[in-house]
Amino acid sequence: MAHGLVDVRILQREYLLAISRAVTAELDLQDVLRIILRAAVELVAGKAGMIALHHPELDSVRVAAVYGIPAQLVDHFAPLLHDIPQGDANEQEAELTRRLQLVARRSNLGFTQMVRLPMMSGGETIGLIYVFLSGTPYHLPKDAALLLSGFAEQAAIAVKNARLYEQVNKEKQRLDAIIQQNADGVMILDQSLRITVFNRALSRMVGLAPEEAIGKLHENVFTWLSLKSDMDLHEALANGWPLPGAAHLYVEGDLQRPFQEHLETADGKRVSLGITYAPLMDGDGRMTDIIANVRDLTRYREEEALQKTFISVVSHELKTPVSIIKGYAGTLRRQDANWSPEIIQDSLAVIEEEADNLTDLIDSLLEVSRLQAGTFNLEVSEDVQLNRVVENTARKFGNQSDKHTITVQFASEFPPIWGDERRLGQVLNNLLSNAIKYSPEGGEIVIRGEVHPQHVTVSVRDSGIGIPDHEQHRIFQKFSRLDNALSRKTEGTGLGLFLCKAIIEAHNGRIWFHKNPDGPGTTFTFSLPRN
Ligand code: ATP
Ligand code: MG
């Protein structure tokens, strides 16, 4: 056997077996081509081989697999890829030989002969298999030629399958991405109500990683604490949903988040969801899957609750001063009573004070509605003298309470600040009113002003009932009042600190509090940038 050609028939079955195994094993296209190429090269005892594929979308032919050609020499084979001019067979043959000689010279691989097999699919050439031989020319035995064209056919099928598979896969990835990127929660259930798709938005809402949810039964993830709609999915299914011409099913309620290790806060354990289930039907009207769209309604519920709080707080806070004013006015107006001038004075003072309270409350409400409407604008001036604002506020409160002493300690040469003087006055007003309200036993209140290179700080320290640290962010929220004996006795809407924060932040400043390290009570501090 001059070319080391092995008995074709023995190998034949083995090669075909290996190739068909490779084609059906859903291997990577590259791997399949490599196996086919190697079989082709071995079959004719060639030295090397190459498969080039036509890429219609790029209008180019590219090398897809090589065997026995060092990577750095592959470029030298380019002349073989170019179209061969139409013409009679002998001319084409001569052209190919010329190109092979060129390639052999450049690559220095000593090839003397080339077998070139087109890969056909549906009458179209999708690629070429090249096998290179060296030594004296030899003629392919007939069955080897047949087998080779069988390989080419297999390779064509593999390429076609791989391209189809790639297309399907791309489409699937695109759909997956759409589902994953969806801002709403999306989930797909199979017929047995097992979760097969669970997107990221839903994972965040429910606090369960997609890989933990997938494979679980719907009922094991969606356990409702309370339902707002008539029935849940399982009851609806039991009642015959989906009927032909199927309508969507909407289920709304509060959910117990299934796995609480994922959650930082206790409120996070409950989430309000609205789920729309849509059945996917096959041609015979059988339901194959259910696709569910999930919305987090927690925010909406909170807003609703806030509205209710708003109405009850505001009506209470409005009613109290009005009824006090009415009471005193009515008493003073009584014809039959002969009030002493002191009583008249005291009563008028109470009326005035309550009228001021009403004005404050209305102002706060207006500020809140401006904040909500986005029409909250600062009326700034360049040179607010914070120490003066503080002294005025301190004087006003000093006159109102004899249980508290108010001390003002400001750095000398406190710089003028850019800001809205009236609103900074509101901030101090609330901090000081809180300091007094929430230290019922009285005590010292210290207001300090400090100057730093980039900013100034003002702090209000009381020795009152204190605030637990973990209330840090809650306390600055609208209508939030801590639930303690005092909050039930003292007046307040829980808007003060919310507005303080909004005002300070509108000045690019910050506000926070901490527990006094050396005694009872709290210190509230805000910082404002200089310039
Ligand atoms: P408003 O200021 O609207 O009249 P308020 O004083 O209750 O009402 P905020 O000033 O926003 O509302 O304060 C919110 C809650 O924070 C208060 O109800 C109180 O529970 C708590 N709080 C505020 N300041 C202090 C403080 N210095 N010491 C202890 N608790 C405080
Ligand atoms: Mg307050």
Side-chain angles (χ1 to χ4, degrees):
M1 289 194 278
H3 287 86
L5 183 64
V6 216
D7 184 342
V8 169
R9 250 150 300 156
I10 299 177
L11 278 181
Q12 182 164 334
R13 211 172 301 136
E14 262 172 59
Y15 284 134
L16 277 179
L17 211 64
I19 290 168
S20 58
R21 221 182 278 133
V23 173
T24 51
E26 280 187 41
L27 281 184
D28 189 58
L29 176 63
Q30 296 295 320
D31 292 337
V32 176
L33 293 181
R34 225 170 283 134
I35 290 168
I36 291 173
L37 180 59
R38 193 169 151 197
V41 172
E42 282 175 358
L43 184 74
V44 297
K47 283 268 169 234
M50 170 171 97
I51 292 182
L53 293 184
H54 187 57
H55 294 266
E57 73 288 0
L58 304 170
D59 194 26
S60 74
V61 178
R62 297 195 171 170
V63 176
V66 291
Y67 176 77
I69 302 173
Q72 72 275 13
L73 298 182
V74 172
D75 283 348
H76 294 311
F77 288 73
L80 294 174
L81 305 181
H82 301 153
D83 283 344
I84 296 160
Q86 302 288 330
D88 74 88
N90 286 338
E91 272 170 36
Q92 289 196 341
E93 200 54 48
E95 173 63 19
L96 276 173
T97 311
R98 201 187 59 73
R99 289 192 191 180
L100 174 65
Q101 284 164 354
L102 178 73
V103 168
R105 210 169 38 246
R106 285 195 189 156
S107 62
N108 203 16
L109 288 174
F111 300 144
T112 52
Q113 193 180 352
M114 172 173 79
V115 180
R116 189 168 167 276
L117 296 151
M119 289 159 52
M120 305 295 289
S121 165
E124 196 190 337
T125 311
I126 59 170
L128 285 158
I129 300 181
Y130 299 85
V131 179
F132 303 103
L133 300 100
S134 58
T136 48
Y138 107 108
H139 284 285
L140 277 185
K142 195 157 175 259
D143 37 3
L146 263 177
L147 193 52
L148 273 180
S149 59
F151 289 175
E153 204 176 305
Q154 289 290 341
I157 293 169
V159 170
K160 208 162 172 198
N161 282 348
R163 286 186 174 164
L164 275 176
Y165 182 73
E166 201 176 303
Q167 229 172 37
V168 170
N169 216 21
K170 244 191 221 153
E171 190 56 24
K172 184 179 175 310
Q173 279 172 358
R174 207 173 68 88
L175 286 176
D176 281 351
I178 290 173
I179 289 180
Q180 282 309 329
Q181 297 308 322
N182 205 311
D184 283 343
V186 178
M187 148 177 83
I188 299 179
L189 308 175
D190 67 11
Q191 274 166 329
S192 55
L193 305 187
R194 217 167 268 288
I195 297 172
T196 57
V197 170
F198 199 79
N199 80 345
R200 260 174 263 153
L202 184 54
S203 153
R204 270 193 300 274
M205 264 178 231
V206 177
L208 187 65
E211 58 276 15
E212 287 173 286
I214 289 170
K216 288 215 163 65
L217 286 174
H218 174 270
E219 65 199 30
N220 292 340
V221 175
F222 292 84
T223 36
W224 300 102
L225 289 176
S226 63
L227 269 186
K228 279 223 158 50
S229 44
D230 296 341
M231 50 180 98
D232 69 6
L233 174 65
H234 303 272
E235 289 164 305
L237 285 165
N239 278 300
W241 182 85
L243 296 171
H248 295 166
L249 170 71
Y250 183 70
V251 175
E252 187 183 322
D254 284 347
L255 190 77
Q256 175 76 52
R257 293 210 213 201
F259 295 95
Q260 284 144 33
E261 306 90 10
H262 296 274
L263 306 169
E264 308 95 58
T265 59
D267 337 337
K269 285 183 187 157
R270 189 180 254 261
V271 56
S272 299
L273 296 181
I275 308 185
T276 309
Y277 298 93
L280 294 181
M281 305 297 218
D282 67 10
D284 303 330
R286 265 188 312 248
M287 186 165 73
T288 56
D289 296 270
I290 297 175
I291 177 157
N293 245 284
V294 190
R295 290 226 159 150
D296 189 345
L297 305 175
T298 312
R299 267 287 154 74
Y300 175 73
R301 290 274 160 274
E302 281 168 1
E303 279 296 319
E304 231 178 31
L306 212 59
Q307 288 294 338
K308 282 193 197 136
T309 320
F310 174 81
I311 292 167
S312 72
V313 167
V314 169
S315 55
H316 172 258
E317 290 295 308
L318 284 172
K319 267 192 200 146
T320 315
V322 169
S323 61
I324 295 173
I325 291 172
K326 192 168 158 50
Y328 275 87
T331 314
L332 288 181
R333 233 170 62 92
R334 270 168 63 175
Q335 310 272 332
D336 54 339
N338 196 1
W339 303 115
S340 70
E342 295 84 61
I343 289 188
I344 293 177
Q345 270 310 311
D346 287 354
S347 304
L348 287 176
V350 171
I351 289 175
E352 197 176 359
E353 199 181 299
E354 291 302 326
D356 285 347
N357 284 343
L358 267 180
T359 313
D360 284 351
L361 175 61
I362 290 165
D363 280 349
S364 298
L365 292 173
L366 282 175
E367 291 282 57
V368 171
S369 78
R370 276 186 206 114
L371 271 169
Q372 251 155 3
T375 55
F376 179 87
N377 294 317
L378 295 180
E379 294 147 30
V380 287
S381 62
E382 294 290 323
D383 47 1
V384 180
Q385 300 283 332
L386 263 187
N387 44 340
R388 203 134 12 93
V389 180
V390 166
E391 269 150 25
N392 289 341
T393 320
R395 197 168 321 115
K396 189 176 103 192
F397 280 97
N399 293 338
Q400 288 175 15
S401 162
D402 1 303
K403 280 202 285 183
H404 300 87
T405 56
I406 303 178
T407 320
V408 179
Q409 298 174 351
F410 258 66
S412 56
E413 291 176 21
F414 198 88
I417 289 296
W418 173 96
D420 182 331
E421 179 160 347
R422 186 178 63 81
R423 289 218 174 82
L424 291 174
Q426 282 177 349
V427 172
L428 284 159
N429 220 54
N430 183 52
L431 292 184
L432 216 55
S433 97
N434 285 355
I436 290 174
K437 256 200 297 197
Y438 304 111
S439 49
E441 306 293 321
E444 192 175 26
I445 293 168
V446 184
I447 312 175
R448 264 153 101 63
E450 285 174 24
V451 186
H452 301 272
Q454 302 295 328
H455 65 279
V456 297
T457 59
V458 176
S459 58
V460 179
R461 177 193 159 115
D462 64 45
S463 47
I465 58 169
I467 310 174
D469 279 339
H470 66 265
E471 303 285 3
Q472 185 78 250
H473 52 259
R474 196 168 88 80
I475 214 160
F476 290 105
Q477 286 167 2
K478 257 185 289 201
F479 300 120
S480 71
R481 306 197 70 206
L482 299 187
D483 192 17
N484 53 39
L486 220 54
S487 62
R488 271 167 255 129
K489 269 193 303 205
T490 55
E491 287 176 2
T493 55
L495 286 175
L497 287 175
F498 170 73
L499 285 174
C500 287
K501 185 164 187 277
I503 293 170
I504 295 297
E505 286 177 353
H507 283 80
N508 295 321
R510 254 173 14 92
I511 182 166
W512 67 94
F513 72 80
H514 59 79
K515 223 193 270 162
N516 292 334
D518 52 352
T522 315
T523 302
F524 274 87
T525 309
F526 64 84
S527 71
L528 293 172
R530 293 175 65 173
N531 313 317

